[in-house]
Amino acid sequence: MAITREEVLHVARLARLSMSPAEADKMREQLDNILAYIRQLDRLDTADVVPTSHAVEMGTPFRDDSVHPFEEKEEILKNAPDREGDFFRVPRIIED
Amino acid sequence: MHEWTLLDAAKAVRDKEISSRELTRALLSRIERINPKINAYVTVLPEAAMREAAARDEEIARGIVRGPLHGVPVAIKDIFCTKGIRTTCASRILKDFDPPYDATVVERIRSAGAVLLGKQNMDEFAMGSSTEMSCFGPVLNPWATDRIPGGSSGGTAAAVAAGTCFAGVGTDTGGSIRQPASLCGVVGMKPTYGRVSRYGMIAFASSLDQGGPIARTVPDAAAVLSVIAGYDRRDSTSVDVPVPDYVAATERGVKGMRVGLPREYFAEGVDDSVRTAVTKALTSLISLGAEAVEISLPHTGYALSTYYIIAPAEASSNLARYDGVRYGYRAAGAKGLIEMMSRTRAEGFGEEVKRRVMIGTYALSAGYYDAYYGKAQKVRTLLRRDFNEAFDHVDVILTPTAPTPAFRVGEKVDDPLTMYLSDIYTIPANLAGIPGISVPCGMSPDGLPIGAQLLGKHFDEESLLAAAAVIEREIPLPRVAPLEG
């Protein structure tokens, strides 16, 4: 089951990566090779295996739900590509 | 003095035989001469480092020693956030990022008294095995500058091998500390997952990422580990277990230690020079009282596939934050928000990062989640089980760190899958969360360094340090690459 160019473009949209048709073709070929290799996992029967999401067993850590204000707001905002006062400024959200 | 060990340098400063300023000045001038040949640093901090060194000297004069690294110049991979010092992850998308806070690792090395020389080059977002995938250009191996240094912490490994810092801190998601350490002839350790705080360490694959030391000797690596290890409430996966005296562990020896040799790691694909060198490492362990035990880790052949689902899946989620809104690069001239984000990411990320974001997004997308991500998580259980069963019979496991010595610049850059295969021996430890160390154990006929890898039980870094220190003492090798400035 080879990956198609349409699938590549669909995934690129999901990942918010603009991609030219030529780039999509190259990406399709590379992903196809990598996915073909990865599919060797299909040979393993894992029906009764419990998945691992974390390698070191530990409980869920809890902490108090308390506010710790970060005092240096300007240190954060100065990194903004565009701002208006204390807000991040972005292009229009509702496109025509 | 650039060839001194970190522990000797620290002692000389404490004993007032040398000032931190003299040490720092010497290394800054070495960086100036050597770095243009290897491109290991992306940011050098001459003024700040000299200021810090002067402050450490003043403290010494008043009888104050901050900690075990007092006055010693070190450097870190440019993946650790440093307040007021740009932190780029070698990506165009973060080229001007100025973090508002220090990573825990940075806080800890500073409070131990270290002087920060600068920040080191890497594969973009730590994705790569050769440090060719950097927006600052490739790092070159100080032992042979037509070769890559390994990656992704290739800048740190090359800088340590070139004598341009006494030690460094890198990160390891699939081998990114151990593989470059092996290829550059230095010591690199990936601690147990949860041992070193990930707070302020820019995330690649959160269930695999772990920071750790790169140094020229095993005791030096142990000294840095002692400083950076420990519980941190700001990292919810940090584990609250006591930090032992890692430097003392390097003196323990290996008498009675059971050393496992997994047959899957010595199969086809290992270069002859690597096989010979690792066999010498084994002989040295046996000669000091260790016992060799043949073992099997039957699912080893599935580790790379598992990794190349889990790591990109986590990466695609972690890297969603780079959208041109709050920090970093933003593409100019977009008419709407989605177009701005899509073009920002297309222009800001390099090819390897895009490839992994694509694989990860695909593996997590509707209809494929169970077949890829779900499946990989189950195989991850089988890989963990392999190690658990092996550690019922052995104390440590000995393998090659990488299948070959350093390859040539450009050799694998257009063939992602072949590049991925250079991490085949290091990836399983990340999936299982166990600690691993690479220690130099020989040289190829071409004069390229070769490392042996030791793997251990969760939180048993001490046995790895003990065994690695024996290999280091038994197989004397040059510590600093013969680069002439």
Side-chain angles (χ1 to χ4, degrees):
Chain A
M1 43 175 212
I3 183 168
T4 63
R5 190 216 241 187
E6 284 59 45
E7 279 180 296
V8 168
L9 289 169
H10 171 66
V11 172
R13 266 191 303 276
L14 293 178
R16 298 279 184 266
L17 282 171
S18 60
M19 202 174 275
S20 71
E23 287 170 314
D25 284 336
K26 189 179 171 195
M27 184 67 80
R28 195 204 66 74
E29 205 180 309
Q30 289 175 333
L31 293 194
D32 221 26
N33 280 335
I34 295 165
L35 293 171
Y37 179 84
I38 283 171
R39 278 195 292 268
Q40 61 150 278
L41 296 188
D42 294 346
R43 296 204 296 262
L44 283 173
D45 178 8
T46 51
D48 300 322
V49 181
V50 183
T52 292
S53 56
H54 268 276
V56 176
E57 275 134 33
M58 54 182 294
T60 304
F62 290 99
R63 59 171 168 75
D64 291 338
D65 185 14
S66 56
V67 177
H68 299 269
F70 186 82
E71 303 294 347
E72 300 166 80
K73 197 159 61 181
E74 191 51 36
E75 292 297 304
I76 294 173
L77 286 162
K78 74 176 186 196
N79 279 296
D82 194 7
R83 65 186 275 196
E84 198 173 300
D86 282 354
F87 294 93
F88 298 110
R89 208 182 140 99
V90 294
R92 49 188 304 175
I93 287 174
I94 299 165
E95 294 173 43
D96 301 327
Chain B
M1 61 194 86
H2 67 267
E3 73 286 359
W4 291 0
T5 70
L6 170 141
L7 286 170
D8 286 345
K11 186 169 185 302
V13 171
R14 277 198 307 275
D15 294 348
K16 302 183 189 171
E17 284 163 18
I18 194 163
S19 67
S20 175
R21 272 166 304 172
E22 286 171 273
L23 271 183
T24 304
R25 198 176 296 122
L27 289 199
L28 285 169
S29 97
R30 190 163 167 86
I31 291 173
E32 210 175 304
R33 278 182 296 126
I34 299 286
N35 196 56
K37 300 179 180 208
I38 58 174
N39 199 27
Y41 283 84
V42 299
T43 302
V44 184
L45 302 162
E47 291 89 19
M50 285 310 295
R51 239 186 352 258
E52 287 172 30
R56 298 298 84 77
D57 283 339
E58 226 166 85
E59 285 163 353
I60 287 281
R62 286 186 285 136
I64 298 166
V65 176
R66 284 195 179 205
L69 306 181
H70 193 102
V72 180
V74 303
I76 52 173
K77 185 177 184 177
D78 203 22
I79 196 170
F80 292 102
C81 286
T82 40
K83 186 174 179 182
I85 301 166
R86 72 166 184 177
T87 300
T88 68
C89 253
S91 181
R92 186 176 180 207
I93 215 161
L94 275 181
K95 233 176 168 176
D96 301 312
F97 178 54
D98 187 355
Y101 65 96
D102 276 335
T104 298
V105 159
V106 175
E107 275 181 5
R108 284 179 185 252
I109 59 170
R110 284 195 195 280
S111 62
V115 171
L116 189 64
L117 289 170
K119 307 200 67 188
Q120 288 152 333
N121 207 348
M122 54 186 283
D123 284 302
E124 183 182 4
F125 285 105
M127 298 176 191
S129 311
S130 66
T131 318
E132 292 170 288
M133 316 286 184
S134 162
C135 74
F136 298 101
V139 176
L140 305 177
N141 192 313
W143 294 90
T145 52
D146 61 337
R147 309 264 172 170
I148 57 87
S152 67
S153 311
T156 308
V160 171
T164 57
C165 59
F166 286 104
V169 183
T171 61
D172 189 315
T173 303
S176 280
I177 288 174
R178 292 161 287 156
Q179 185 256 16
S182 174
L183 271 43
C184 288
V186 294
V187 178
M189 182 173 223
K190 180 199 95 70
T192 309
Y193 183 81
R195 180 78 285 191
V196 173
S197 171
R198 294 184 296 111
Y199 180 75
M201 189 177 110
I202 295 173
F204 160 13
S206 303
S207 81
L208 306 165
D209 295 342
Q210 186 61 195
I214 297 181
R216 283 191 295 274
T217 71
V218 177
D220 284 359
V224 174
L225 181 61
S226 296
V227 166
I228 62 175
Y231 177 67
D232 179 12
R233 62 169 183 81
R234 295 172 299 187
D235 171 3
S236 63
T237 59
S238 169
V239 182
D240 194 2
V241 292
V243 178
D245 184 342
Y246 290 123
V247 179
T250 64
E251 295 294 332
R252 261 191 208 174
V254 292
K255 211 167 164 38
M257 190 183 277
R258 296 164 302 170
V259 179
L261 302 168
R263 86 174 59 100
E264 293 80 5
Y265 285 65
F266 292 91
E268 297 153 64
V270 190
D271 194 82
D272 281 342
S273 64
V274 173
R275 193 185 298 269
T276 308
V278 176
T279 306
K280 256 175 87 181
L282 175 66
T283 310
S284 70
L285 293 173
I286 292 172
S287 73
L288 275 121
E291 178 198 340
V293 183
E294 276 205 35
I295 58 168
S296 172
L297 298 164
H299 295 93
T300 299
Y302 297 99
L304 194 67
S305 295
T306 307
Y307 178 84
Y308 275 99
I309 295 170
I310 290 175
E314 293 183 8
S316 71
S317 165
N318 276 326
L319 270 58
R321 71 191 66 174
Y322 305 104
D323 56 9
V325 173
R326 290 150 300 157
Y327 45 77
Y329 175 77
R330 178 188 287 189
K335 285 185 222 55
L337 184 69
I338 303 292
E339 186 199 338
M340 183 278 279
M341 289 179 175
S342 305
R343 280 185 32 213
T344 291
R345 290 163 63 79
E347 293 167 22
F349 289 145
E351 277 196 29
E352 182 60 26
V353 171
K354 286 185 204 174
R355 210 146 41 221
R356 297 209 199 180
V357 165
M358 289 291 291
I359 297 170
T361 305
Y362 179 78
L364 291 173
S365 64
Y368 294 108
Y369 183 93
D370 287 334
Y372 288 102
Y373 193 66
K375 182 83 182 182
Q377 286 193 311
K378 289 179 171 188
V379 182
R380 190 172 180 184
T381 303
L382 299 176
L383 287 153
R384 281 176 64 203
R385 218 179 268 167
D386 280 1
F387 282 111
N388 285 342
E389 284 165 15
F391 286 125
D392 285 341
H393 308 286
V394 300
D395 302 302
V396 300
I397 293 172
L398 176 70
T399 78
T401 306
T404 65
F407 41 92
R408 284 180 205 284
V409 175
E411 193 178 321
K412 301 186 182 182
V413 84
D414 292 322
D415 186 355
L417 199 54
T418 311
M419 182 76 90
Y420 298 169
L421 284 163
S422 56
D423 292 331
I424 196 158
Y425 300 137
T426 46
I427 276 172
N430 299 81
L431 291 166
I434 59 173
I437 192 168
S438 179
V439 60
C441 66
M443 288 282 198
S444 76
D446 306 335
L448 300 170
I450 295 167
Q453 176 178 237
L454 289 150
L455 303 173
K457 297 172 196 171
H458 284 155
F459 297 103
D460 187 19
E461 282 80 5
E462 291 162 282
S463 294
L464 301 186
L465 292 164
V470 164
I471 294 170
E472 175 173 87
R473 287 193 292 265
E474 292 298 302
I475 306 176
L477 291 164
R479 285 173 177 161
V480 179
L483 262 173
E484 272 322 305

